[in-house]
Amino acid sequence: MAVIEPALDRQESGAVSLPEASGAAPRRRWLDWLAGLIVPLALALGWEVAVAQGWANGRLLPPPSRILSTLWGLWRSGDLITHVPVSYTPLTLPDERIRGVPGGGGAYKEKKREVG
């Protein structure tokens, strides 16, 4: 009994790839993009419903509506523009001792002492 295999393309690296149907790649990218949008929105909606129904407490992680309303209020008052650069400045500094790299960065490294 003969096994029928699809036509395979050999690339320069020796890797074998299956031929794609015409139009499949753009459709796949569009579906990936759509899934990347729908999944976070569904999670946010689920969290909103859970807090509204009393299934979860919104103190530890507030519902998205409260987060968005707080951001909007900070934007309208001008406080968001003032505080965001201050919060992100340590990330832009070149020295790891100033940034506070987790795991001990340069500030905690000591030279080995020779016992003599």
Side-chain angles (χ1 to χ4, degrees):
M1 182 163 124
V3 176
I4 300 174
E5 295 182 13
L8 302 177
D9 293 332
R10 290 216 178 262
Q11 299 173 353
E12 290 179 18
S13 64
V16 177
S17 64
L18 294 172
E20 293 186 17
S22 63
R27 187 173 347 150
R28 173 73 181 174
R29 278 187 296 232
W30 186 80
L31 289 174
D32 287 345
W33 179 84
L34 189 61
L37 181 67
I38 289 175
V39 169
L41 288 176
L43 288 172
L45 181 64
W47 184 249
E48 187 75 38
V49 169
V51 172
Q53 293 295 323
W55 300 332
N57 187 352
R59 287 188 61 196
L60 182 61
L61 182 63
S65 62
R66 193 175 315 156
I67 294 171
L68 291 175
S69 67
T70 301
L71 281 173
W72 181 248
L74 289 171
W75 175 261
R76 286 183 35 210
S77 69
D79 288 339
L80 190 63
I81 297 296
T82 305
H83 295 294
V84 167
V86 173
S87 297
Y88 284 104
T89 298
L91 298 175
T92 62
L93 296 174
D95 191 3
E96 64 190 27
R97 290 173 292 187
I98 297 172
R99 281 188 283 156
V101 176
Y108 300 103
K109 292 181 182 174
E110 296 182 16
K111 293 182 180 179
K112 291 183 180 179
R113 296 182 187 164
E114 293 182 24
V115 179

Short mmCIF file of all heavy atoms in Angstrom, two decimals, residues 69-94:
data_model
loop_
_atom_site.label_atom_id
_atom_site.label_comp_id
_atom_site.label_asym_id
_atom_site.label_seq_id
_atom_site.Cartn_x
_atom_site.Cartn_y
_atom_site.Cartn_z
N SER A 69 -11.96 54.78 34.89
CA SER A 69 -12.47 56.06 35.38
C SER A 69 -11.39 56.81 36.17
O SER A 69 -11.30 58.04 36.09
CB SER A 69 -13.72 55.85 36.23
OG SER A 69 -13.41 55.17 37.43
N THR A 70 -10.55 56.09 36.90
CA THR A 70 -9.46 56.74 37.62
C THR A 70 -8.44 57.32 36.64
O THR A 70 -7.97 58.45 36.81
CB THR A 70 -8.77 55.73 38.56
OG1 THR A 70 -9.73 55.24 39.49
CG2 THR A 70 -7.63 56.39 39.33
N LEU A 71 -8.09 56.54 35.61
CA LEU A 71 -7.16 57.05 34.60
C LEU A 71 -7.72 58.28 33.90
O LEU A 71 -6.99 59.25 33.65
CB LEU A 71 -6.84 55.97 33.57
CG LEU A 71 -5.83 54.92 33.97
CD1 LEU A 71 -5.75 53.83 32.92
CD2 LEU A 71 -4.47 55.55 34.19
N TRP A 72 -9.00 58.25 33.58
CA TRP A 72 -9.64 59.39 32.91
C TRP A 72 -9.61 60.63 33.82
O TRP A 72 -9.32 61.74 33.37
CB TRP A 72 -11.06 59.06 32.50
CG TRP A 72 -11.74 60.19 31.80
CD1 TRP A 72 -12.78 60.92 32.26
CD2 TRP A 72 -11.41 60.73 30.53
NE1 TRP A 72 -13.15 61.88 31.37
CE2 TRP A 72 -12.31 61.79 30.28
CE3 TRP A 72 -10.45 60.44 29.58
CZ2 TRP A 72 -12.26 62.55 29.12
CZ3 TRP A 72 -10.41 61.19 28.41
CH2 TRP A 72 -11.31 62.23 28.20
N GLY A 73 -9.89 60.44 35.11
CA GLY A 73 -9.86 61.57 36.05
C GLY A 73 -8.45 62.14 36.19
O GLY A 73 -8.27 63.36 36.25
N LEU A 74 -7.44 61.26 36.24
CA LEU A 74 -6.05 61.74 36.32
C LEU A 74 -5.64 62.46 35.04
O LEU A 74 -4.90 63.44 35.07
CB LEU A 74 -5.10 60.56 36.59
CG LEU A 74 -5.16 59.96 37.99
CD1 LEU A 74 -4.34 58.69 38.05
CD2 LEU A 74 -4.67 60.96 39.02
N TRP A 75 -6.12 61.98 33.90
CA TRP A 75 -5.81 62.63 32.62
C TRP A 75 -6.43 64.03 32.56
O TRP A 75 -5.79 64.99 32.16
CB TRP A 75 -6.31 61.77 31.47
CG TRP A 75 -6.13 62.41 30.13
CD1 TRP A 75 -7.07 63.09 29.42
CD2 TRP A 75 -4.93 62.46 29.37
NE1 TRP A 75 -6.54 63.55 28.25
CE2 TRP A 75 -5.21 63.17 28.20
CE3 TRP A 75 -3.65 61.96 29.56
CZ2 TRP A 75 -4.25 63.40 27.22
CZ3 TRP A 75 -2.70 62.19 28.57
CH2 TRP A 75 -3.02 62.91 27.43
N ARG A 76 -7.70 64.12 32.96
CA ARG A 76 -8.39 65.42 32.90
C ARG A 76 -7.78 66.43 33.85
O ARG A 76 -7.73 67.61 33.55
CB ARG A 76 -9.88 65.22 33.22
CG ARG A 76 -10.60 64.57 32.06
CD ARG A 76 -12.08 64.43 32.26
NE ARG A 76 -12.69 65.52 33.01
CZ ARG A 76 -13.74 65.40 33.78
NH1 ARG A 76 -14.30 64.21 33.93
NH2 ARG A 76 -14.25 66.41 34.41
N SER A 77 -7.30 65.97 35.01
CA SER A 77 -6.72 66.91 35.98
C SER A 77 -5.28 67.27 35.63
O SER A 77 -4.74 68.23 36.18
CB SER A 77 -6.77 66.31 37.38
OG SER A 77 -5.87 65.22 37.48
N GLY A 78 -4.63 66.50 34.75
CA GLY A 78 -3.25 66.77 34.38
C GLY A 78 -2.24 66.04 35.25
O GLY A 78 -1.04 66.11 35.01
N ASP A 79 -2.72 65.31 36.26
CA ASP A 79 -1.81 64.60 37.14
C ASP A 79 -1.14 63.41 36.45
O ASP A 79 -0.02 63.05 36.80
CB ASP A 79 -2.54 64.11 38.39
CG ASP A 79 -2.89 65.24 39.33
OD1 ASP A 79 -2.24 66.30 39.24
OD2 ASP A 79 -3.82 65.07 40.15
N LEU A 80 -1.81 62.80 35.49
CA LEU A 80 -1.22 61.65 34.81
C LEU A 80 0.03 62.06 34.05
O LEU A 80 1.05 61.36 34.10
CB LEU A 80 -2.26 61.02 33.86
CG LEU A 80 -1.89 59.69 33.25
CD1 LEU A 80 -1.73 58.64 34.33
CD2 LEU A 80 -2.93 59.26 32.25
N ILE A 81 -0.02 63.19 33.38
CA ILE A 81 1.14 63.68 32.62
C ILE A 81 2.29 64.01 33.57
O ILE A 81 3.45 63.83 33.23
CB ILE A 81 0.74 64.92 31.78
CG1 ILE A 81 -0.32 64.55 30.76
CG2 ILE A 81 1.93 65.54 31.10
CD1 ILE A 81 0.12 63.55 29.73
N THR A 82 1.98 64.45 34.74
CA THR A 82 3.02 64.81 35.72
C THR A 82 3.69 63.58 36.31
O THR A 82 4.91 63.55 36.47
CB THR A 82 2.40 65.63 36.87
OG1 THR A 82 1.73 66.76 36.31
CG2 THR A 82 3.45 66.09 37.84
N HIS A 83 2.92 62.55 36.63
CA HIS A 83 3.45 61.42 37.38
C HIS A 83 4.04 60.30 36.53
O HIS A 83 4.91 59.58 37.00
CB HIS A 83 2.37 60.85 38.30
CG HIS A 83 1.95 61.81 39.36
ND1 HIS A 83 2.80 62.23 40.35
CD2 HIS A 83 0.78 62.46 39.58
CE1 HIS A 83 2.18 63.08 41.14
NE2 HIS A 83 0.95 63.25 40.69
N VAL A 84 3.58 60.12 35.31
CA VAL A 84 4.10 59.03 34.48
C VAL A 84 5.59 59.17 34.20
O VAL A 84 6.34 58.21 34.37
CB VAL A 84 3.28 58.88 33.18
CG1 VAL A 84 3.98 57.98 32.19
CG2 VAL A 84 1.91 58.32 33.50
N PRO A 85 6.09 60.34 33.79
CA PRO A 85 7.55 60.44 33.55
C PRO A 85 8.37 60.17 34.81
O PRO A 85 9.43 59.55 34.73
CB PRO A 85 7.74 61.87 33.06
CG PRO A 85 6.43 62.28 32.53
CD PRO A 85 5.41 61.56 33.36
N VAL A 86 7.89 60.59 35.95
CA VAL A 86 8.62 60.36 37.19
C VAL A 86 8.66 58.87 37.50
O VAL A 86 9.68 58.35 37.96
CB VAL A 86 7.96 61.14 38.35
CG1 VAL A 86 8.59 60.78 39.68
CG2 VAL A 86 8.06 62.63 38.09
N SER A 87 7.59 58.17 37.23
CA SER A 87 7.55 56.73 37.51
C SER A 87 8.46 55.94 36.59
O SER A 87 9.02 54.92 36.99
CB SER A 87 6.13 56.21 37.36
OG SER A 87 5.29 56.83 38.30
N TYR A 88 8.61 56.37 35.34
CA TYR A 88 9.41 55.61 34.39
C TYR A 88 10.85 56.08 34.27
O TYR A 88 11.63 55.45 33.57
CB TYR A 88 8.73 55.61 33.02
CG TYR A 88 7.56 54.69 32.98
CD1 TYR A 88 6.27 55.17 33.05
CD2 TYR A 88 7.75 53.31 32.94
CE1 TYR A 88 5.18 54.31 33.04
CE2 TYR A 88 6.67 52.45 32.94
CZ TYR A 88 5.40 52.95 32.98
OH TYR A 88 4.34 52.10 32.99
N THR A 89 11.24 57.14 34.93
CA THR A 89 12.62 57.63 34.85
C THR A 89 13.63 56.59 35.31
O THR A 89 14.64 56.40 34.65
CB THR A 89 12.78 58.94 35.65
OG1 THR A 89 11.93 59.91 35.05
CG2 THR A 89 14.20 59.42 35.63
N PRO A 90 13.41 55.86 36.40
CA PRO A 90 14.41 54.87 36.80
C PRO A 90 14.64 53.79 35.75
O PRO A 90 15.72 53.23 35.68
CB PRO A 90 13.82 54.25 38.07
CG PRO A 90 12.92 55.29 38.61
CD PRO A 90 12.36 56.00 37.41
N LEU A 91 13.68 53.51 34.91
CA LEU A 91 13.85 52.50 33.87
C LEU A 91 14.76 52.98 32.75
O LEU A 91 15.33 52.17 32.03
CB LEU A 91 12.50 52.10 33.28
CG LEU A 91 11.51 51.46 34.25
CD1 LEU A 91 10.19 51.22 33.57
CD2 LEU A 91 12.08 50.16 34.79
N THR A 92 14.88 54.28 32.60
CA THR A 92 15.69 54.82 31.51
C THR A 92 17.12 55.11 31.93
O THR A 92 17.94 55.45 31.09
CB THR A 92 15.06 56.12 30.98
OG1 THR A 92 15.03 57.09 32.03
CG2 THR A 92 13.66 55.88 30.47
N LEU A 93 17.42 54.98 33.21
CA LEU A 93 18.78 55.26 33.67
C LEU A 93 19.71 54.12 33.27
O LEU A 93 19.36 52.96 33.34
CB LEU A 93 18.80 55.46 35.19
CG LEU A 93 18.00 56.66 35.68
CD1 LEU A 93 17.96 56.67 37.19
CD2 LEU A 93 18.59 57.95 35.16
N PRO A 94 20.94 54.46 32.87
CA PRO A 94 21.85 53.43 32.36
C PRO A 94 22.51 52.59 33.43
O PRO A 94 22.99 51.51 33.15
CB PRO A 94 22.90 54.24 31.60
CG PRO A 94 22.91 55.56 32.28
CD PRO A 94 21.48 55.80 32.71
#
